[in-house]
Amino acid sequence: MFAMNEFLRGNAMHRKFFATVSVAIALAAMAAGGTAAQDTVKIGLVLPMTGTVGAAGQEVAAAVKLYVAQHGDTVAGKKIELIIRDDGSIPDNAKRLAQELVVNEHVAILGAGTTPSAMSMAPIATEGKVPTVVMISGTSVVTERSPYYVRTCFTLGQQSGIIADWAIKNGSHKAVSVLSDWAPGAEAGKAFEQHFSQGGGQVLETLKVPLANPDFAPFLQRARDLAPDTLFVFVPAGQAGTFARQFAERGLDKSGIKLIGPGDIVDDNDLAATGDAMLGVVTAGFYSAAHPSALNKEYVAAYAKATGGKRANFISVGGYDGMHLIYEALKKTKGNTDPDALLAAMKGMSWESPRGPISIDPDTRDIIQNVYIRKVEKKDGEPWAIEFATFEAVKDPLHQTAK
């Protein structure tokens, strides 16, 4: 009886706590909506500046600050105030920080980072009716977690299905998948296997590598023992350099096995340090620092200047374009930060990005963009992902399947 009373009392306290939080968020949202009549628009970004994927947050933050530096900190007569919070690559931190930004800072717009953190922040964005720009996560389902989520980065399905189709057309029959063991890795593997199998290929085995402090060597050895003609690999940005070194150490760069994957495995930020290990590797990606447009050349030069010589990469453009989306939406609403007005302004928007033409799908709030087939080649003594084929206006295939 005592245990039952405690259980009921605990449940009541639990409900009371969440009711209080919901009221606080709703009140904060009302306050944020009132900023339409104020002079400052606060934008709160929750990013992994440290921890397992800290490099990704740093790259987005650098690109966001670059955009503001280039375009000014005033839009539609409103002062832009950026507030960046580090979630340490921990989802619970992201949820807490998002709540603080909405309740205490009265932000009008949020920015979300990696998949686990974006998932945890979704109830805050929904309850508070806060438009949230997803700048890093490549997992398809993320935008379905809140009607206020809009994505400016990518989905892994966009790239993984296309590279599978390319591999089949270029003689691949038997593949092994090596994937980081988290939601984006699972999604990359799912899209690849679906397309590869439909094309008549066979995925011999899927090997899952721990996300934190990965040692790829035993997985690469297992892959080699299975004797595939193709190795499909997904590792998150920041781990490509480690993977490339261990790939070469196992002699796989000279084994005759084709290495393919989404763009992550030839991340521009890592590629410059991989030497010759990744030469010849073919990937499907939506951005390369070598993309031959005048706008991209300007972006690459500006990003390098702002970051002490670092290459712009695919993670950075998610942040850069995220700020573009926010600025243009504010221009459309004439500075009005009503959440539904901002969301409506974002849906269907299209523009020229450093990566090429992109738009926001008005139905899914997801990004539509070109996907390029690229081969790593040396240019001016350094390896670059050089584009040689283009798939235009690619939507997320998993959202397409769901429909």
Side-chain angles (χ1 to χ4, degrees):
M1 186 67 178
F2 174 79
M4 179 59 73
N5 286 339
E6 286 297 301
F7 173 77
L8 292 173
R9 183 157 50 248
N11 266 5
M13 291 174 66
H14 189 72
R15 288 193 299 272
K16 184 177 180 181
F17 169 78
F18 278 102
T20 302
V21 169
S22 295
V23 170
I25 291 173
L27 290 172
M30 291 171 65
T35 59
Q38 298 173 5
D39 294 329
T40 300
V41 176
K42 292 185 178 182
I43 301 168
L45 307 184
V46 182
L47 300 172
M49 304 297 287
T50 57
T52 308
V53 287
Q58 294 167 26
E59 288 152 3
V60 165
V64 163
K65 291 174 183 176
L66 173 62
Y67 190 92
V68 173
Q70 289 177 329
H71 297 84
D73 61 358
T74 302
V75 181
K78 302 296 177 70
K79 184 83 170 177
I80 299 297
E81 181 181 342
L82 273 179
I83 306 172
I84 298 177
R85 294 286 184 262
D86 175 19
D87 66 23
S89 304
I90 299 172
D92 285 347
N93 288 351
K95 185 174 185 179
R96 173 179 56 79
L97 291 167
Q99 184 174 311
E100 290 175 1
L101 286 166
V102 173
V103 175
N104 299 334
E105 299 290 347
H106 307 303
V107 298
I109 301 165
L110 284 168
T114 57
T115 294
S117 292
M119 295 280 207
S120 74
M121 290 168 58
I124 306 297
T126 302
E127 190 70 40
K129 295 186 175 181
V130 183
T132 300
V133 181
V134 180
M135 300 181 177
I136 300 177
S137 172
T139 304
S140 178
V141 74
V142 161
T143 50
E144 298 171 16
R145 292 302 171 95
S146 174
Y148 288 90
Y149 270 15
V150 180
R151 180 163 19 215
T152 57
C153 44
F154 63 97
T155 73
L156 284 157
Q158 286 175 317
Q159 303 163 84
S160 301
I162 284 174
I163 196 62
D165 295 341
W166 180 88
I168 288 292
K169 289 178 182 177
N170 286 271
S172 293
H173 302 288
K174 294 183 177 181
V176 170
S177 294
V178 178
L179 311 171
S180 288
D181 191 11
W182 67 327
E187 193 158 289
K190 177 182 177 181
F192 174 79
E193 183 167 358
Q194 183 181 66
H195 281 249
F196 198 72
S197 299
Q198 287 174 350
Q202 179 186 4
V203 176
L204 301 175
E205 193 167 330
T206 297
L207 307 174
K208 297 180 179 180
V209 183
L211 178 63
N213 305 312
D215 179 7
F216 299 106
F219 299 95
L220 289 170
Q221 185 58 52
R222 171 61 181 161
R224 185 170 192 166
D225 291 344
L226 289 165
D229 53 49
T230 303
L231 192 61
F232 172 78
V233 176
F234 165 77
V235 297
Q239 294 184 3
T242 302
F243 173 82
R245 186 181 69 253
Q246 294 187 352
F247 182 78
E249 287 171 354
R250 310 303 293 187
L252 284 165
D253 56 333
K254 299 178 177 64
S255 67
I257 299 173
K258 283 187 281 190
L259 175 60
I260 62 172
D264 307 58
I265 62 171
V266 293
D267 174 26
D268 281 291
N269 211 26
D270 293 321
L271 198 56
T274 59
D276 293 346
M278 303 299 271
L279 291 180
V281 172
V282 176
T283 57
F286 64 92
Y287 177 75
S288 167
H291 179 65
S293 73
L295 182 61
N296 184 54
K297 289 175 183 176
E298 291 172 7
Y299 174 64
V300 170
Y303 186 88
K305 184 177 180 181
T307 59
K310 290 183 179 179
R311 273 195 204 180
N313 70 347
F314 74 99
I315 294 290
S316 73
V317 294
Y320 193 79
D321 286 325
M323 285 306 296
H324 181 90
L325 179 68
I326 291 168
Y327 270 47
E328 293 303 310
L330 285 168
K331 288 177 186 177
K332 275 190 175 185
T333 64
K334 296 180 170 57
N336 179 10
T337 56
D338 173 77
D340 293 313
L342 278 174
L343 193 68
M346 292 177 179
K347 290 179 179 180
M349 192 179 290
S350 61
W351 67 98
E352 184 70 21
S353 159
R355 68 184 101 174
I358 62 175
S359 63
I360 302 299
D361 189 318
D363 296 321
T364 64
R365 292 163 281 107
D366 225 329
I367 191 164
I368 302 172
Q369 61 189 330
N370 290 350
V371 173
Y372 308 94
I373 303 294
R374 308 95 52 82
K375 184 177 182 179
V376 178
E377 300 174 1
K378 266 196 174 174
K379 178 182 172 186
D380 300 325
E382 292 186 352
W384 299 81
I386 306 298
E387 301 162 1
F388 64 88
T390 303
F391 292 78
E392 295 183 349
V394 178
K395 294 186 176 184
D396 174 59
L398 298 181
H399 273 144
Q400 294 290 94
T401 301
K403 286 187 173 184

